[in-house]
Amino acid sequence: MTPSVPAPPELQDRLRLAVVQHGAAESRRVHPAVVRVGDPGDPRGPLACWELAGPLAPAHWDHALRLDVLGAASRRLTPTAPPPALVWVTRTGGLELQDLDLAWFAATTAAAGETGVPLTMAVVTRFGWHLPGTGMRRSWVRPRRGRWATA
């Protein structure tokens, strides 16, 4: 996919913060994927968070369940409050699209349509981010905190 519209600088800053936070919080090379909803810059943390391992491994998360949990989380958001909420999947590996990413992208798109709350879905690894909706991605060898970082 080729990006048609570049992500706004504020979104890029928020995604870079998510990359830095993920790298600081997760030191294991292999770890379970986690889905978060909210804003990486919010000092209270994400509004909702689900680890995709254990009894509800990714294989057990069908589209209807993903849509239900994202719909419930997005109903707790204010649709007009900036910045728009993010749904971000943190996982191991590179920034190439995986089945898990596409499954959560489909659910995010459907939840945004059903609830009317604008949601942006991103894939975040320890070294970069990728927007499945546009194909835009950024990566760093060693992501560091900058002007966009909080505490």
Side-chain angles (χ1 to χ4, degrees):
M1 280 187 249
T2 306
S4 56
V5 178
E10 317 78 55
L11 177 58
Q12 292 187 43
D13 289 347
R14 291 168 60 212
L15 290 170
R16 184 171 179 160
L17 178 58
V19 170
V20 171
Q21 289 172 344
H22 177 56
E26 190 57 72
S27 60
R28 298 175 290 180
R29 294 187 101 178
V30 177
H31 53 82
V34 176
V35 175
R36 294 175 173 83
V37 177
D39 180 13
D42 190 337
R44 297 170 293 178
L47 176 68
C49 183
W50 299 277
E51 185 172 304
L52 305 177
L56 288 178
H60 298 100
W61 286 74
D62 65 0
H63 179 72
L65 181 57
R66 287 187 294 270
L67 181 56
D68 285 347
V69 297
L70 289 178
S74 62
R75 284 182 187 88
R76 295 175 51 198
L77 300 167
T78 307
T80 58
L86 285 175
V87 175
W88 70 104
V89 176
T90 57
R91 61 169 174 74
T92 59
L95 293 175
E96 299 79 25
L97 279 177
Q98 298 179 5
D99 291 343
L100 177 73
D101 309 335
L102 294 173
W104 282 97
F105 176 67
T108 301
T109 304
E114 284 185 9
T115 62
V117 176
L119 297 171
T120 300
M121 192 273 187
V123 176
V124 174
T125 68
R126 292 179 63 210
F127 300 103
W129 55 262
H130 180 203
L131 296 173
T134 64
M136 185 170 186
R137 65 180 69 201
R138 290 287 310 267
S139 61
W140 299 269
V141 174
R142 292 190 307 167
R144 299 178 188 195
R145 291 185 179 269
R147 64 176 171 77
W148 34 263
T150 58

